[in-house]
Amino acid sequence: MTAPGADPVEACAEEYAAALAGALRGPARAKARMVEEIRDGFADTVTAHTGAGLPHEHAVRRAVHEFGTADELAPGCQRELTLAQTRRTARAAALAVPFLTLCWLLIWTSGPGHGWPLRLLAVHVACVAVTAGLLAAATLAATGPVARRVPVPSRLPLAVAWTGTASAVAMGLAALALVVSSALAGDWGLMVLSGGFTAASHAVVAASSRACRECARLPGYGAARA
């Protein structure tokens, strides 16, 4: 319901945008930018119709007919947001590779000592995360300019989400092994540096992967691909 004194065009545009935003999931900035563009276009359309002499309610109905309802727009918008979240997750996993490589070098050059089996475990687990990161880098290429010419597989977002999850789990295990082994060896500097890098990478990739899974499971992506 429009508040007294409020611009009826802006009020209906905000209501339309709120309904659309509530149906979408994805990166906050990309989502806000998308909803804002649609809101502005909807408001301009209503204004144009009222300027042509249509009553406000008729102008709103005409604009909805031209734009589509929020439920009708959501699948197409969700596809774009899901792809954006997929790229964000792949980028996070790919950018973790240099940090994990640095951790691997630190462990490898530290020499044998107390906790060496755990260090070796951390190296192997970090290699799993690096492999996932390389696959993520390939995803970035597949969803970039190439995607304009070649359709993106509908299951790619979910695959990237679970790849990122596997990478995040590997990072978490590697961080734990690094902390324990470095503590046993008395190498506190190595523990703080390598464990901190790995734990930070785990947190970033895990959060992005969780968001990617939520986007990939929404029906809008599959509907838009059909």
Side-chain angles (χ1 to χ4, degrees), residues 19-93:
L20 179 60
L24 300 176
R25 298 292 182 274
R29 289 184 180 179
K31 175 182 171 180
R33 183 169 57 250
M34 176 184 293
V35 172
E36 183 68 16
E37 290 176 357
I38 293 174
R39 191 205 73 83
D40 290 345
F42 183 83
D44 290 343
T45 302
V46 174
T47 300
H49 288 318
T50 55
L54 283 178
H56 175 71
E57 292 184 359
H58 292 177
V60 171
R61 285 198 292 268
R62 178 72 64 85
V64 171
H65 177 74
E66 294 176 6
F67 269 73
T69 65
D71 289 340
E72 291 170 341
L73 285 181
C77 293
Q78 185 59 55
R79 178 187 180 277
E80 293 186 32
L81 290 176
T82 298
L83 192 58
Q85 184 62 56
T86 299
R87 288 182 57 80
R88 171 172 289 194
T89 301
R91 188 180 298 112

Side-chain angles (χ1 to χ4, degrees), residues 99-100 102-107 109 174-175 178-179 182 187-201:
F99 294 108
L100 293 173
L102 175 60
C103 292
W104 184 86
L105 290 175
L106 287 172
I107 298 167
T109 58
L178 286 169
V179 169
S182 299
D187 195 344
W188 296 99
L190 176 63
M191 179 186 72
V192 172
L193 184 60
S194 58
F197 276 152
T198 309
S201 298

